[in-house]
Amino acid sequence: MALDVGKLLAGSVQYPKLPEVSPSYGTAGFRSTAVLLPCTVFRCGVLMALRAMHTGAATGIVITASHNPEQDNGVKLVEPSGHMLSPSWEAFADRLANAPDDDALAELCHELISQHSISIGNATVMVAHDSRPSAVALVAAAGDGISCVGATAYACGLLTTPQLHWMVMKCNRKLPHSKEDYFHTLAEAYEQLTAGAATPDEVIIVDCANGVGANALQQLQEKLGAKLRLKLFNTEVGVAGKLNADCGADFVQKERTGPASMTLAECSGRCASIDGDADRLVFFSQEGDTLALLDGDKIAALLALLVQQLLKAAGLEDVSLGVVQTAYANGASTQFLQQLPHCTVQCTPTGVKHLHAAAEKFDIGIYFEANGHGTVLIGKPFLEKLQKTSQAGGEKLQEAARQLEALATLSNQAVGDALSGLLMVEAALQLLQKDLQSWGALYRDLPSRQRKVSVRDRSVVKTADAERKAVSPAGLQEGLDKAAASVKSGRVFVRPSGTEDVVRVYAEAATQEDADGLALEAARLLHHLAGGTGAEV
Ligand code: 16G
Ligand code: MG
């Protein structure tokens, strides 16, 4: 069938492109003030419908701006595999979002259809949203975009981002994929993985960022019963002004403090914090004046130990195990992982799509960003090997193999997931017999400092080597190298943000004073070489 241009234009005319808005796909989809988004979201509906027709499988859209303030919104685009939109389509997403008018949009659709020989026909796009008030209008915009090219929008309602990714993946594998199935699968896998271990006495305190994760965790708690007790904080979902406000994983990780609404006593328990769309997770505990933060790096270290223990017990040490990090990983975590036997450590640019792609290359790939985005990928070839072990080996071997299978089910294979991550961490703590203190003591973080620097045009800063080296502007890397060499254990890098109009700086050193000094020097170099505006945020 051919594209019904009349229908496309009739839809598109309701969502005019504002000339002053130039959307950019960024690190993980489009994001901006919600009032500027209807046109972009409508066009994402069109795009994902065409992607579904091209692949012959369901795709997905999540309306969310994650940890951003409530007045923002955004869109995350989901492949049939459950992963994020294929990078090969990102440039097209940008062009579509920036088409100046309806005719230009129709022309671009024709270009995409002929370039990929897409046959217009039946297709489904699953659409979910987080708890922002602007979701209603944006879900409608996505639905209009999907239907005006002849596909069906399947409204999944209020969900966490990873839940929708999981549902799309399972749907296309023709497996049970309802919201209920998600909670059931996670709870059952957790029970299998921890069978035999003592149920923890401690209640897990979870800061839910006043976001959609609060609802999801309540449902998960119902399924878990007495197996794991959660006490939820910051659960005011949909209450104006509350979402991500002084709480949530991003706040706790960046500010190094507990959520403002929680008392010191509450923060001194076994605490976890998730973000507004529940794809980030960090743990923390107040110890006197300081907050012990167990970030994505620490989670990766803990899960690497768990995987190694299970592999050893199953007699399967010859598998390829990789841990994927970004340049933001604390140097101490990288060193810790590098000394683990049979473990390869790799660094990729920032953004889940890069880490996920690298982790997939291992039999077992663990990936985490320091900010708490991540999961454990367990590939099919490995699972097949595992099944053979289960059948052939003795009782102990079989038990470990079953646990590895349970871990593969518990870990979201589509994308990083705070709920799945929470259960993996709890299982790991039980099976490795650790508490937050002994987990935290696996290694000591090097002091670090992050800064944001405003420059006239952040695209002048170009990086290489997984963002660890600045290749432009000229002289910047030389300056950074010199500064890093002047302090003990100094390391510094800069990169243009993919979500904000700033250049980010990360520095670490043996002392906090030196890390601060190094970050300041990097900011000074940026001002001088990349045209700083003087406004440091
Ligand atoms: C997005 C990314 C996150 C990354 C962050 C970096 C996904 C799902 N999310 O939130 O992984 O750490 O952007 O932001 O990929 P930045 O480019 O502004 O530093
Ligand atoms: Mg998020």
Side-chain angles (χ1 to χ4, degrees), residues 69-71 131 133 209-210 236-247:
E70 190 173 295
Q71 65 273 21
S131 59
N210 295 312
E236 293 180 80
V237 186
V239 176
K242 293 282 183 180
L243 179 66
N244 298 319
D246 294 342
C247 61

Side-chain angles (χ1 to χ4, degrees), residues 467-507:
E467 303 178 328
R468 290 174 290 191
K469 292 274 175 275
V471 290
S472 121
L476 178 56
Q477 189 56 45
E478 288 74 8
L480 294 173
D481 284 343
K482 201 168 148 214
S486 70
V487 294
K488 192 170 167 221
S489 307
R491 183 169 73 89
V492 62
F493 69 90
V494 301
R495 57 174 281 277
S497 159
T499 64
E500 279 182 77
D501 190 13
V502 293
V503 177
R504 298 198 193 281
V505 170
Y506 175 92

Side-chain angles (χ1 to χ4, degrees), residues 137-160:
L138 295 175
V139 166
D144 286 344
I146 293 161
S147 57
C148 79
V149 287
T152 305
Y154 182 75
C156 298
L158 184 69
L159 293 181
T160 72

